[in-house]
Amino acid sequence: MLIKCPSCNKFNRLPLDRVNQKPICGVCKASLLLGPIDADQASFKEILSHSKLPVIVDFWAPWCGPCKMFAPTFQASAAKYGEQVLHIKLDTEANPGIGQEFSIRSIPTLAGFKNGVELKRISGALPPAQLEQFVKELAN
């Protein structure tokens, strides 16, 4: 899977089984987990099955105004908590099968997973304090 470095914006090829090993950028040596990871249908399922870290998923679409407004909040959360909870962005328009499989009826929707099992879900663009609470609940 390709992960864009949140620091230098270079793409890094990362085998999914290395996601649990605190991967760093091959160019600037910054952590690759300190930014949201863009997932598609295949990589999403692989991340859920391989990650030993909890995973928070932002189900969104490019045409969604609230999704665009929420994106910087999600980005800031990933920068702060990315090595404790993986932050995944999944475009439901480009990956409609995942949206159907997880019964995503409104966007943005956040879902929290541990060991591949969904534990919590909330819809709507959250304020930073509420997102932080969501992430801390997953991390514990």
Side-chain angles (χ1 to χ4, degrees), residues 22-113:
K22 295 189 178 182
I24 60 170
C25 177
V27 176
C28 73
K29 307 301 182 213
S31 173
L32 292 175
L33 302 181
L34 297 180
I37 298 171
D38 290 319
D40 60 15
Q41 189 163 341
S43 64
F44 176 70
K45 291 190 175 190
E46 287 288 318
I47 290 169
L48 287 184
S49 66
H50 283 90
S51 179
K52 293 180 178 141
L53 293 173
V55 176
I56 185 171
V57 182
D58 177 13
F59 293 97
W60 69 287
W63 50 263
C64 169
C67 297
K68 290 178 184 178
M69 289 185 337
F70 178 66
T73 304
F74 195 72
Q75 172 75 36
S77 176
K80 188 172 181 179
Y81 297 106
E83 291 185 334
Q84 298 168 350
V85 176
L86 287 181
H87 286 63
I88 307 296
K89 289 188 72 71
L90 190 111
D91 179 350
T92 57
E93 187 170 301
N95 301 282
I98 293 290
Q100 290 174 353
E101 182 178 338
F102 287 91
S103 301
I104 303 301
R105 302 284 179 242
S106 64
I107 51 174
T109 291
L110 294 176
F113 296 84

Side-chain angles (χ1 to χ4, degrees), residues 1-12:
M1 141 169 106
L2 289 177
I3 295 181
K4 189 176 188 181
C5 175
S7 181
C8 70
N9 292 324
K10 299 290 183 186
F11 283 97
N12 290 257

Side-chain angles (χ1 to χ4, degrees), residues 11-28:
F11 283 97
N12 290 257
R13 187 170 307 282
L14 180 69
L16 285 171
D17 58 347
R18 290 206 43 237
V19 127
N20 300 309
Q21 300 171 0
K22 295 189 178 182
I24 60 170
C25 177
V27 176
C28 73

